[in-house]
């Protein structure tokens, strides 16, 4: 029975920790929602909104909450450029419908 409490902790990678901390949350700046985080790639938080895709540097993250990621000011033009590059690169692998939603099944 004593061995039960001394089990080895699962070796969790930094990438999994970052993904769980930042993904699938609303991203807010100055109290306004700017999109939803979908993934962390190359030290950037990929954020999708109806209008655009941003790749915000992780250094811009001020705080994380249960449902939100709070970011401070960042270079929007650069974030949009990297976000579009990421999206264009992913389109070779992923399919989206006319509303920008990921298609997960073959139709």
């Amino acid at each position: 029975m004593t061995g039960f409490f001394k089990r080895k902790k699962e070796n969790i990678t930094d990438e999994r920790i970052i993904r769980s901390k930042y993904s699938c949350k609303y991203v807010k700046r100055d109290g306004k929602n700017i999109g939803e985080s979908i993934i962390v790639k190359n030290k950037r938080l990929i954020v999708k909104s109806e209008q655009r895709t941003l790749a915000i540097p992780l250094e811009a993250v001020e705080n994380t909450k249960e449902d939100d990621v709070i970011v401070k000011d960042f270079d929007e033009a650069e974030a949009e450029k990297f976000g579009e590059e990421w999206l264009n690169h992913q389109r070779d692998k992923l399919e989206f419908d006319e509303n920008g939603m990921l298609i997960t099944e073959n139709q």
Side-chain angles (χ1 to χ4, degrees):
M1 184 74 167
T2 59
F4 178 77
F5 295 106
K6 293 184 179 182
R7 281 198 263 177
K8 285 186 175 181
K9 292 182 180 178
E10 183 183 345
N11 191 9
I12 301 174
T13 63
D14 288 343
E15 183 179 320
R16 282 181 57 193
I17 293 169
I18 289 171
R19 191 179 325 136
S20 68
K21 185 175 180 179
Y22 296 122
S23 297
C24 301
K25 296 184 179 191
Y26 294 106
V27 180
K28 296 184 177 184
R29 181 177 62 182
D30 298 327
K32 296 179 184 173
N33 186 6
I34 61 172
E36 186 174 347
S37 61
I38 55 176
I39 194 169
V40 175
K41 205 67 166 172
N42 300 326
K43 298 184 180 180
R44 290 183 173 271
L45 182 63
I46 307 298
V47 178
K48 181 110 169 81
S49 71
E50 290 180 17
Q51 299 83 17
R52 60 191 178 165
T53 302
L54 300 171
I56 301 170
L58 287 179
E59 297 88 41
V61 174
E62 284 188 315
N63 194 6
T64 58
K65 298 181 180 180
E66 187 174 335
D67 296 324
D68 301 324
V69 175
I70 311 301
V71 296
K72 58 186 176 184
D73 286 334
F74 57 90
D75 185 338
E76 254 186 86
E78 180 182 87
E80 192 164 355
K81 175 186 162 217
F82 284 117
E84 288 302 315
E85 286 177 9
W86 177 85
L87 183 61
N88 290 333
H89 177 72
Q90 293 304 313
R91 287 190 187 214
D92 294 339
K93 301 172 189 167
L94 304 176
E95 291 185 45
F96 296 89
D97 66 14
E98 63 277 356
N99 296 319
M101 299 300 295
L102 180 65
I103 298 171
T104 57
E105 296 180 17
N106 292 336
Q107 296 179 353

